[in-house]
């Protein structure tokens, strides 16, 4: 059908619309086992949908980190969206990121505590453990790293000047 089409762009647009409809159902209460049967034909067009599906899986993790979903809901959405054969590895990665949320949250809090205690080098180590998909805390962690470098640098310069002045 697609290979014989005179208007492939129109077919691709329709395909993308159909894929978006599938995503919508995946996030709804209406999802059931029959839904995949209706949409599984999308998999024939892997080359046209793969990037979008993988991106949507990442979006589920981001939305989970931002508090839009519970852990159970996020995992359910991942399993629904990730029914495509090419998505198995990505789903495993996303589930690991979901399980790492507590560690990421704790690293951020520990980084803030260490920063406040002027333990800048240790704070940087903790801030670097924050998950990139946790867009709110990750951006704050990057900002924290920047401040750590600035404050640590100022402390080192001050200490060096004191040593110079002592001689």
């Amino acid at each position: 059908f697609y290979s014989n089409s005179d208007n492939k762009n129109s077919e691709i647009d329709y395909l993308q619309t159909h894929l978006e409809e599938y995503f919508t159902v995946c996030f709804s209460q209406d999802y059931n086992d029959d839904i995949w049967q209706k949409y599984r034909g999308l998999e024939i067009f892997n080359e046209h949908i793969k990037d979008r599906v993988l991106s949507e899986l990442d979006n589920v993790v981001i939305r989970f980190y931002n508090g839009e979903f519970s852990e159970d809901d996020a995992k359910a959405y991942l399993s629904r969206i990730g029914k495509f054969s090419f998505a198995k590895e990505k789903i495993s990665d996303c589930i690991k990121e979901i399980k790492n949320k507590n560690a990421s949250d704790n690293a951020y809090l520990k980084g803030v505590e260490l920063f406040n205690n002027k333990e800048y080098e240790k704070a940087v180590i903790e801030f670097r453990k924050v998950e990139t998909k946790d867009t709110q805390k990750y951006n704050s962690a990057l900002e924290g790293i920047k401040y750590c470098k600035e404050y640590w640098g100022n402390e080192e310069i001050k200490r060096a000047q004191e040593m110079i002045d002592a001689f």
Side-chain angles (χ1 to χ4, degrees):
F1 175 71
Y2 172 75
S3 61
N4 295 328
S5 176
D6 292 334
N7 192 350
K8 290 188 181 192
N9 287 336
S10 176
E11 299 295 332
I12 294 296
D13 289 345
Y14 177 76
L15 176 66
Q16 295 302 324
T17 299
H18 196 55
L19 182 62
E20 294 302 321
E21 289 170 1
Y22 177 64
F23 292 157
T24 299
V25 175
C26 286
F27 289 106
S28 77
Q29 298 288 335
D30 299 332
Y31 188 89
N32 60 47
D33 292 337
D34 295 335
I35 297 298
W36 176 242
Q37 297 305 318
K38 178 179 176 183
Y39 288 93
R40 71 182 296 160
L42 286 167
E43 193 153 28
I44 295 170
F45 301 97
N46 281 355
E47 67 184 87
H48 299 290
I49 66 168
K50 183 177 181 178
D51 290 343
R52 180 64 186 100
V53 170
L54 298 179
S55 175
E56 190 63 25
L57 292 170
D58 281 335
N59 285 335
V60 169
V61 176
I62 290 168
R63 292 171 71 185
F64 166 71
Y65 269 94
N66 289 331
E68 289 184 50
F69 310 132
S70 69
E71 182 174 339
D72 289 341
D73 286 344
K75 287 178 181 177
Y77 301 148
L78 288 171
S79 71
R80 294 171 184 176
I81 293 167
K83 292 243 186 232
F84 300 96
S85 61
F86 58 79
K88 286 180 176 53
E89 185 176 330
K90 182 66 170 181
I91 287 177
S92 294
D93 292 344
C94 288
I95 288 175
K96 285 177 190 172
E97 289 173 335
I98 285 174
K99 288 179 179 178
N100 197 34
K101 183 178 186 327
N102 286 339
S104 178
D105 289 348
N106 290 337
Y108 178 77
L109 293 174
K110 181 87 171 163
V112 169
E113 179 184 330
L114 290 165
F115 176 83
N116 290 335
N117 292 332
K118 298 183 180 184
E119 297 180 58
Y120 303 121
E121 292 176 75
K122 291 178 182 177
V124 168
I125 291 168
E126 292 302 316
F127 284 140
R128 287 190 174 144
K129 294 177 185 176
V130 175
E131 284 289 327
T132 58
K133 297 234 177 11
D134 187 350
T135 54
Q136 294 170 344
K137 285 190 182 88
Y138 183 74
N139 289 334
S140 295
L142 290 177
E143 193 73 17
I145 290 170
K146 180 179 121 187
Y147 286 129
C148 284
K149 289 178 180 179
E150 180 181 317
Y151 288 112
W152 179 77
N154 289 340
E155 292 283 324
E156 290 298 305
I157 290 170
K158 181 179 171 187
R159 204 165 65 199
Q161 188 62 50
E162 288 171 356
M163 290 176 68
I164 292 170
D165 292 346
F167 291 103

PDB file of all heavy atoms in Angstrom, residues 94-125:
ATOM      1  N   CYS A  94      14.379   2.490  30.570  1.00  0.00           N
ATOM      2  CA  CYS A  94      13.413   3.402  31.192  1.00  0.00           C
ATOM      3  C   CYS A  94      12.989   2.902  32.573  1.00  0.00           C
ATOM      4  O   CYS A  94      12.862   3.694  33.509  1.00  0.00           O
ATOM      5  CB  CYS A  94      12.186   3.566  30.293  1.00  0.00           C
ATOM      6  SG  CYS A  94      12.493   4.534  28.798  1.00  0.00           S
ATOM      7  N   ILE A  95      12.800   1.612  32.713  1.00  0.00           N
ATOM      8  CA  ILE A  95      12.412   1.062  34.013  1.00  0.00           C
ATOM      9  C   ILE A  95      13.549   1.242  35.022  1.00  0.00           C
ATOM     10  O   ILE A  95      13.313   1.565  36.186  1.00  0.00           O
ATOM     11  CB  ILE A  95      11.955  -0.404  33.880  1.00  0.00           C
ATOM     12  CG1 ILE A  95      10.585  -0.427  33.174  1.00  0.00           C
ATOM     13  CG2 ILE A  95      11.889  -1.103  35.226  1.00  0.00           C
ATOM     14  CD1 ILE A  95      10.037  -1.777  32.850  1.00  0.00           C
ATOM     15  N   LYS A  96      14.786   1.078  34.577  1.00  0.00           N
ATOM     16  CA  LYS A  96      15.932   1.333  35.462  1.00  0.00           C
ATOM     17  C   LYS A  96      15.935   2.790  35.915  1.00  0.00           C
ATOM     18  O   LYS A  96      16.216   3.084  37.086  1.00  0.00           O
ATOM     19  CB  LYS A  96      17.245   1.015  34.755  1.00  0.00           C
ATOM     20  CG  LYS A  96      17.524  -0.454  34.622  1.00  0.00           C
ATOM     21  CD  LYS A  96      18.810  -0.690  33.838  1.00  0.00           C
ATOM     22  CE  LYS A  96      18.970  -2.160  33.498  1.00  0.00           C
ATOM     23  NZ  LYS A  96      20.090  -2.403  32.581  1.00  0.00           N
ATOM     24  N   GLU A  97      15.637   3.706  34.996  1.00  0.00           N
ATOM     25  CA  GLU A  97      15.609   5.128  35.350  1.00  0.00           C
ATOM     26  C   GLU A  97      14.492   5.414  36.352  1.00  0.00           C
ATOM     27  O   GLU A  97      14.664   6.216  37.264  1.00  0.00           O
ATOM     28  CB  GLU A  97      15.440   5.987  34.098  1.00  0.00           C
ATOM     29  CG  GLU A  97      16.685   5.994  33.231  1.00  0.00           C
ATOM     30  CD  GLU A  97      16.487   6.687  31.909  1.00  0.00           C
ATOM     31  OE1 GLU A  97      15.335   6.770  31.425  1.00  0.00           O
ATOM     32  OE2 GLU A  97      17.484   7.141  31.337  1.00  0.00           O
ATOM     33  N   ILE A  98      13.368   4.747  36.185  1.00  0.00           N
ATOM     34  CA  ILE A  98      12.256   4.923  37.133  1.00  0.00           C
ATOM     35  C   ILE A  98      12.662   4.412  38.511  1.00  0.00           C
ATOM     36  O   ILE A  98      12.419   5.068  39.521  1.00  0.00           O
ATOM     37  CB  ILE A  98      10.983   4.231  36.602  1.00  0.00           C
ATOM     38  CG1 ILE A  98      10.381   5.081  35.481  1.00  0.00           C
ATOM     39  CG2 ILE A  98       9.974   3.998  37.714  1.00  0.00           C
ATOM     40  CD1 ILE A  98       9.212   4.457  34.772  1.00  0.00           C
ATOM     41  N   LYS A  99      13.282   3.250  38.539  1.00  0.00           N
ATOM     42  CA  LYS A  99      13.717   2.686  39.821  1.00  0.00           C
ATOM     43  C   LYS A  99      14.788   3.548  40.476  1.00  0.00           C
ATOM     44  O   LYS A  99      14.956   3.511  41.693  1.00  0.00           O
ATOM     45  CB  LYS A  99      14.240   1.266  39.622  1.00  0.00           C
ATOM     46  CG  LYS A  99      13.149   0.273  39.318  1.00  0.00           C
ATOM     47  CD  LYS A  99      13.713  -1.120  39.111  1.00  0.00           C
ATOM     48  CE  LYS A  99      12.605  -2.112  38.819  1.00  0.00           C
ATOM     49  NZ  LYS A  99      13.128  -3.463  38.566  1.00  0.00           N
ATOM     50  N   ASN A 100      15.505   4.335  39.695  1.00  0.00           N
ATOM     51  CA  ASN A 100      16.592   5.163  40.208  1.00  0.00           C
ATOM     52  C   ASN A 100      16.114   6.513  40.747  1.00  0.00           C
ATOM     53  O   ASN A 100      16.914   7.297  41.231  1.00  0.00           O
ATOM     54  CB  ASN A 100      17.645   5.367  39.112  1.00  0.00           C
ATOM     55  CG  ASN A 100      18.961   5.853  39.666  1.00  0.00           C
ATOM     56  OD1 ASN A 100      19.351   5.480  40.763  1.00  0.00           O
ATOM     57  ND2 ASN A 100      19.643   6.688  38.913  1.00  0.00           N
ATOM     58  N   LYS A 101      14.822   6.778  40.679  1.00  0.00           N
ATOM     59  CA  LYS A 101      14.316   8.085  41.101  1.00  0.00           C
ATOM     60  C   LYS A 101      14.682   8.406  42.546  1.00  0.00           C
ATOM     61  O   LYS A 101      15.150   9.505  42.847  1.00  0.00           O
ATOM     62  CB  LYS A 101      12.814   8.199  40.912  1.00  0.00           C
ATOM     63  CG  LYS A 101      12.300   9.602  41.278  1.00  0.00           C
ATOM     64  CD  LYS A 101      10.837   9.730  41.044  1.00  0.00           C
ATOM     65  CE  LYS A 101      10.287  11.125  41.237  1.00  0.00           C
ATOM     66  NZ  LYS A 101      10.863  11.984  42.213  1.00  0.00           N
ATOM     67  N   ASN A 102      14.497   7.453  43.447  1.00  0.00           N
ATOM     68  CA  ASN A 102      14.822   7.719  44.853  1.00  0.00           C
ATOM     69  C   ASN A 102      16.298   8.042  45.023  1.00  0.00           C
ATOM     70  O   ASN A 102      16.651   8.952  45.770  1.00  0.00           O
ATOM     71  CB  ASN A 102      14.428   6.529  45.734  1.00  0.00           C
ATOM     72  CG  ASN A 102      12.931   6.444  45.929  1.00  0.00           C
ATOM     73  OD1 ASN A 102      12.213   7.418  45.755  1.00  0.00           O
ATOM     74  ND2 ASN A 102      12.450   5.262  46.265  1.00  0.00           N
ATOM     75  N   ALA A 103      17.146   7.302  44.343  1.00  0.00           N
ATOM     76  CA  ALA A 103      18.584   7.563  44.429  1.00  0.00           C
ATOM     77  C   ALA A 103      18.910   8.948  43.870  1.00  0.00           C
ATOM     78  O   ALA A 103      19.735   9.673  44.425  1.00  0.00           O
ATOM     79  CB  ALA A 103      19.365   6.484  43.690  1.00  0.00           C
ATOM     80  N   SER A 104      18.244   9.308  42.788  1.00  0.00           N
ATOM     81  CA  SER A 104      18.457  10.620  42.180  1.00  0.00           C
ATOM     82  C   SER A 104      17.997  11.730  43.126  1.00  0.00           C
ATOM     83  O   SER A 104      18.704  12.718  43.334  1.00  0.00           O
ATOM     84  CB  SER A 104      17.708  10.700  40.847  1.00  0.00           C
ATOM     85  OG  SER A 104      17.861  11.966  40.255  1.00  0.00           O
ATOM     86  N   ASP A 105      16.809  11.557  43.705  1.00  0.00           N
ATOM     87  CA  ASP A 105      16.301  12.541  44.664  1.00  0.00           C
ATOM     88  C   ASP A 105      17.241  12.690  45.855  1.00  0.00           C
ATOM     89  O   ASP A 105      17.547  13.801  46.286  1.00  0.00           O
ATOM     90  CB  ASP A 105      14.912  12.125  45.170  1.00  0.00           C
ATOM     91  CG  ASP A 105      13.821  12.268  44.133  1.00  0.00           C
ATOM     92  OD1 ASP A 105      14.056  12.897  43.085  1.00  0.00           O
ATOM     93  OD2 ASP A 105      12.716  11.723  44.362  1.00  0.00           O
ATOM     94  N   ASN A 106      17.703  11.551  46.368  1.00  0.00           N
ATOM     95  CA  ASN A 106      18.611  11.579  47.522  1.00  0.00           C
ATOM     96  C   ASN A 106      19.939  12.239  47.176  1.00  0.00           C
ATOM     97  O   ASN A 106      20.499  12.971  47.991  1.00  0.00           O
ATOM     98  CB  ASN A 106      18.835  10.164  48.062  1.00  0.00           C
ATOM     99  CG  ASN A 106      17.593   9.597  48.725  1.00  0.00           C
ATOM    100  OD1 ASN A 106      16.717  10.340  49.168  1.00  0.00           O
ATOM    101  ND2 ASN A 106      17.504   8.288  48.785  1.00  0.00           N
ATOM    102  N   ALA A 107      20.449  11.971  45.972  1.00  0.00           N
ATOM    103  CA  ALA A 107      21.703  12.596  45.545  1.00  0.00           C
ATOM    104  C   ALA A 107      21.552  14.110  45.487  1.00  0.00           C
ATOM    105  O   ALA A 107      22.447  14.849  45.909  1.00  0.00           O
ATOM    106  CB  ALA A 107      22.143  12.043  44.186  1.00  0.00           C
ATOM    107  N   TYR A 108      20.417  14.564  44.971  1.00  0.00           N
ATOM    108  CA  TYR A 108      20.190  16.006  44.893  1.00  0.00           C
ATOM    109  C   TYR A 108      20.162  16.619  46.300  1.00  0.00           C
ATOM    110  O   TYR A 108      20.826  17.628  46.566  1.00  0.00           O
ATOM    111  CB  TYR A 108      18.886  16.306  44.150  1.00  0.00           C
ATOM    112  CG  TYR A 108      18.595  17.777  44.105  1.00  0.00           C
ATOM    113  CD1 TYR A 108      19.278  18.604  43.220  1.00  0.00           C
ATOM    114  CD2 TYR A 108      17.674  18.357  44.971  1.00  0.00           C
ATOM    115  CE1 TYR A 108      19.053  19.974  43.195  1.00  0.00           C
ATOM    116  CE2 TYR A 108      17.441  19.714  44.959  1.00  0.00           C
ATOM    117  CZ  TYR A 108      18.124  20.522  44.070  1.00  0.00           C
ATOM    118  OH  TYR A 108      17.900  21.872  44.052  1.00  0.00           O
ATOM    119  N   LEU A 109      19.382  16.010  47.188  1.00  0.00           N
ATOM    120  CA  LEU A 109      19.275  16.538  48.552  1.00  0.00           C
ATOM    121  C   LEU A 109      20.621  16.517  49.272  1.00  0.00           C
ATOM    122  O   LEU A 109      20.972  17.467  49.975  1.00  0.00           O
ATOM    123  CB  LEU A 109      18.231  15.734  49.341  1.00  0.00           C
ATOM    124  CG  LEU A 109      16.793  15.881  48.853  1.00  0.00           C
ATOM    125  CD1 LEU A 109      15.872  14.934  49.612  1.00  0.00           C
ATOM    126  CD2 LEU A 109      16.307  17.322  48.975  1.00  0.00           C
ATOM    127  N   LYS A 110      21.366  15.442  49.076  1.00  0.00           N
ATOM    128  CA  LYS A 110      22.701  15.336  49.683  1.00  0.00           C
ATOM    129  C   LYS A 110      23.626  16.408  49.110  1.00  0.00           C
ATOM    130  O   LYS A 110      24.407  17.028  49.842  1.00  0.00           O
ATOM    131  CB  LYS A 110      23.272  13.938  49.433  1.00  0.00           C
ATOM    132  CG  LYS A 110      24.615  13.691  50.012  1.00  0.00           C
ATOM    133  CD  LYS A 110      24.517  13.209  51.420  1.00  0.00           C
ATOM    134  CE  LYS A 110      25.911  12.771  51.862  1.00  0.00           C
ATOM    135  NZ  LYS A 110      26.028  12.651  53.261  1.00  0.00           N
ATOM    136  N   GLY A 111      23.530  16.645  47.791  1.00  0.00           N
ATOM    137  CA  GLY A 111      24.335  17.687  47.164  1.00  0.00           C
ATOM    138  C   GLY A 111      24.044  19.060  47.745  1.00  0.00           C
ATOM    139  O   GLY A 111      24.969  19.834  48.022  1.00  0.00           O
ATOM    140  N   VAL A 112      22.763  19.350  47.952  1.00  0.00           N
ATOM    141  CA  VAL A 112      22.378  20.643  48.547  1.00  0.00           C
ATOM    142  C   VAL A 112      22.932  20.756  49.971  1.00  0.00           C
ATOM    143  O   VAL A 112      23.490  21.794  50.355  1.00  0.00           O
ATOM    144  CB  VAL A 112      20.842  20.807  48.540  1.00  0.00           C
ATOM    145  CG1 VAL A 112      20.406  21.996  49.377  1.00  0.00           C
ATOM    146  CG2 VAL A 112      20.326  20.940  47.111  1.00  0.00           C
ATOM    147  N   GLU A 113      22.802  19.676  50.731  1.00  0.00           N
ATOM    148  CA  GLU A 113      23.306  19.677  52.107  1.00  0.00           C
ATOM    149  C   GLU A 113      24.818  19.902  52.132  1.00  0.00           C
ATOM    150  O   GLU A 113      25.328  20.720  52.916  1.00  0.00           O
ATOM    151  CB  GLU A 113      22.969  18.344  52.782  1.00  0.00           C
ATOM    152  CG  GLU A 113      23.461  18.213  54.200  1.00  0.00           C
ATOM    153  CD  GLU A 113      23.172  16.831  54.775  1.00  0.00           C
ATOM    154  OE1 GLU A 113      22.184  16.198  54.373  1.00  0.00           O
ATOM    155  OE2 GLU A 113      23.976  16.400  55.623  1.00  0.00           O
ATOM    156  N   LEU A 114      25.534  19.195  51.276  1.00  0.00           N
ATOM    157  CA  LEU A 114      26.988  19.352  51.222  1.00  0.00           C
ATOM    158  C   LEU A 114      27.376  20.756  50.782  1.00  0.00           C
ATOM    159  O   LEU A 114      28.330  21.349  51.309  1.00  0.00           O
ATOM    160  CB  LEU A 114      27.593  18.301  50.288  1.00  0.00           C
ATOM    161  CG  LEU A 114      27.539  16.865  50.816  1.00  0.00           C
ATOM    162  CD1 LEU A 114      27.811  15.878  49.691  1.00  0.00           C
ATOM    163  CD2 LEU A 114      28.511  16.680  51.968  1.00  0.00           C
ATOM    164  N   PHE A 115      26.637  21.310  49.835  1.00  0.00           N
ATOM    165  CA  PHE A 115      26.896  22.683  49.387  1.00  0.00           C
ATOM    166  C   PHE A 115      26.729  23.656  50.558  1.00  0.00           C
ATOM    167  O   PHE A 115      27.572  24.520  50.784  1.00  0.00           O
ATOM    168  CB  PHE A 115      25.949  23.057  48.239  1.00  0.00           C
ATOM    169  CG  PHE A 115      26.090  24.472  47.802  1.00  0.00           C
ATOM    170  CD1 PHE A 115      27.090  24.839  46.906  1.00  0.00           C
ATOM    171  CD2 PHE A 115      25.247  25.460  48.288  1.00  0.00           C
ATOM    172  CE1 PHE A 115      27.243  26.163  46.510  1.00  0.00           C
ATOM    173  CE2 PHE A 115      25.384  26.778  47.892  1.00  0.00           C
ATOM    174  CZ  PHE A 115      26.387  27.135  47.000  1.00  0.00           C
ATOM    175  N   ASN A 116      25.626  23.494  51.270  1.00  0.00           N
ATOM    176  CA  ASN A 116      25.361  24.375  52.408  1.00  0.00           C
ATOM    177  C   ASN A 116      26.436  24.247  53.489  1.00  0.00           C
ATOM    178  O   ASN A 116      26.686  25.195  54.231  1.00  0.00           O
ATOM    179  CB  ASN A 116      23.981  24.104  52.993  1.00  0.00           C
ATOM    180  CG  ASN A 116      22.872  24.573  52.066  1.00  0.00           C
ATOM    181  OD1 ASN A 116      23.062  25.463  51.246  1.00  0.00           O
ATOM    182  ND2 ASN A 116      21.712  23.956  52.180  1.00  0.00           N
ATOM    183  N   ASN A 117      27.060  23.077  53.570  1.00  0.00           N
ATOM    184  CA  ASN A 117      28.140  22.851  54.532  1.00  0.00           C
ATOM    185  C   ASN A 117      29.517  23.201  53.952  1.00  0.00           C
ATOM    186  O   ASN A 117      30.532  22.885  54.554  1.00  0.00           O
ATOM    187  CB  ASN A 117      28.136  21.392  55.012  1.00  0.00           C
ATOM    188  CG  ASN A 117      26.928  21.076  55.855  1.00  0.00           C
ATOM    189  OD1 ASN A 117      26.371  21.940  56.515  1.00  0.00           O
ATOM    190  ND2 ASN A 117      26.513  19.822  55.829  1.00  0.00           N
ATOM    191  N   LYS A 118      29.506  23.802  52.776  1.00  0.00           N
ATOM    192  CA  LYS A 118      30.722  24.238  52.088  1.00  0.00           C
ATOM    193  C   LYS A 118      31.657  23.078  51.730  1.00  0.00           C
ATOM    194  O   LYS A 118      32.864  23.242  51.622  1.00  0.00           O
ATOM    195  CB  LYS A 118      31.472  25.299  52.898  1.00  0.00           C
ATOM    196  CG  LYS A 118      30.653  26.562  53.094  1.00  0.00           C
ATOM    197  CD  LYS A 118      31.422  27.618  53.829  1.00  0.00           C
ATOM    198  CE  LYS A 118      30.528  28.845  53.980  1.00  0.00           C
ATOM    199  NZ  LYS A 118      31.211  29.957  54.594  1.00  0.00           N
ATOM    200  N   GLU A 119      31.079  21.912  51.530  1.00  0.00           N
ATOM    201  CA  GLU A 119      31.837  20.744  51.073  1.00  0.00           C
ATOM    202  C   GLU A 119      31.602  20.618  49.567  1.00  0.00           C
ATOM    203  O   GLU A 119      30.932  19.714  49.091  1.00  0.00           O
ATOM    204  CB  GLU A 119      31.383  19.491  51.827  1.00  0.00           C
ATOM    205  CG  GLU A 119      31.647  19.556  53.317  1.00  0.00           C
ATOM    206  CD  GLU A 119      31.187  18.317  54.038  1.00  0.00           C
ATOM    207  OE1 GLU A 119      31.666  17.212  53.683  1.00  0.00           O
ATOM    208  OE2 GLU A 119      30.348  18.453  54.948  1.00  0.00           O
ATOM    209  N   TYR A 120      32.178  21.557  48.836  1.00  0.00           N
ATOM    210  CA  TYR A 120      31.859  21.733  47.428  1.00  0.00           C
ATOM    211  C   TYR A 120      32.248  20.549  46.547  1.00  0.00           C
ATOM    212  O   TYR A 120      31.493  20.160  45.656  1.00  0.00           O
ATOM    213  CB  TYR A 120      32.503  23.020  46.906  1.00  0.00           C
ATOM    214  CG  TYR A 120      32.065  24.236  47.699  1.00  0.00           C
ATOM    215  CD1 TYR A 120      32.993  25.026  48.364  1.00  0.00           C
ATOM    216  CD2 TYR A 120      30.719  24.576  47.798  1.00  0.00           C
ATOM    217  CE1 TYR A 120      32.599  26.134  49.101  1.00  0.00           C
ATOM    218  CE2 TYR A 120      30.314  25.686  48.536  1.00  0.00           C
ATOM    219  CZ  TYR A 120      31.259  26.454  49.177  1.00  0.00           C
ATOM    220  OH  TYR A 120      30.856  27.542  49.904  1.00  0.00           O
ATOM    221  N   GLU A 121      33.404  19.979  46.787  1.00  0.00           N
ATOM    222  CA  GLU A 121      33.829  18.852  45.949  1.00  0.00           C
ATOM    223  C   GLU A 121      32.878  17.663  46.107  1.00  0.00           C
ATOM    224  O   GLU A 121      32.495  17.030  45.121  1.00  0.00           O
ATOM    225  CB  GLU A 121      35.267  18.438  46.288  1.00  0.00           C
ATOM    226  CG  GLU A 121      36.295  19.484  45.884  1.00  0.00           C
ATOM    227  CD  GLU A 121      37.687  19.101  46.314  1.00  0.00           C
ATOM    228  OE1 GLU A 121      38.264  18.214  45.655  1.00  0.00           O
ATOM    229  OE2 GLU A 121      38.179  19.681  47.298  1.00  0.00           O
ATOM    230  N   LYS A 122      32.498  17.377  47.339  1.00  0.00           N
ATOM    231  CA  LYS A 122      31.557  16.278  47.588  1.00  0.00           C
ATOM    232  C   LYS A 122      30.182  16.602  47.021  1.00  0.00           C
ATOM    233  O   LYS A 122      29.481  15.717  46.524  1.00  0.00           O
ATOM    234  CB  LYS A 122      31.460  15.990  49.084  1.00  0.00           C
ATOM    235  CG  LYS A 122      32.718  15.393  49.673  1.00  0.00           C
ATOM    236  CD  LYS A 122      32.567  15.180  51.168  1.00  0.00           C
ATOM    237  CE  LYS A 122      33.846  14.636  51.777  1.00  0.00           C
ATOM    238  NZ  LYS A 122      33.716  14.497  53.244  1.00  0.00           N
ATOM    239  N   ALA A 123      29.797  17.861  47.086  1.00  0.00           N
ATOM    240  CA  ALA A 123      28.493  18.268  46.549  1.00  0.00           C
ATOM    241  C   ALA A 123      28.431  18.023  45.043  1.00  0.00           C
ATOM    242  O   ALA A 123      27.424  17.535  44.524  1.00  0.00           O
ATOM    243  CB  ALA A 123      28.221  19.740  46.866  1.00  0.00           C
ATOM    244  N   VAL A 124      29.506  18.345  44.349  1.00  0.00           N
ATOM    245  CA  VAL A 124      29.558  18.133  42.899  1.00  0.00           C
ATOM    246  C   VAL A 124      29.371  16.652  42.573  1.00  0.00           C
ATOM    247  O   VAL A 124      28.624  16.293  41.666  1.00  0.00           O
ATOM    248  CB  VAL A 124      30.877  18.667  42.295  1.00  0.00           C
ATOM    249  CG1 VAL A 124      31.067  18.194  40.867  1.00  0.00           C
ATOM    250  CG2 VAL A 124      30.907  20.193  42.358  1.00  0.00           C
ATOM    251  N   ILE A 125      30.026  15.797  43.338  1.00  0.00           N
ATOM    252  CA  ILE A 125      29.892  14.351  43.115  1.00  0.00           C
ATOM    253  C   ILE A 125      28.431  13.927  43.248  1.00  0.00           C
ATOM    254  O   ILE A 125      27.918  13.163  42.426  1.00  0.00           O
ATOM    255  CB  ILE A 125      30.796  13.568  44.101  1.00  0.00           C
ATOM    256  CG1 ILE A 125      32.266  13.808  43.752  1.00  0.00           C
ATOM    257  CG2 ILE A 125      30.451  12.078  44.090  1.00  0.00           C
ATOM    258  CD1 ILE A 125      33.244  13.326  44.806  1.00  0.00           C
TER     259      ILE A 125
END
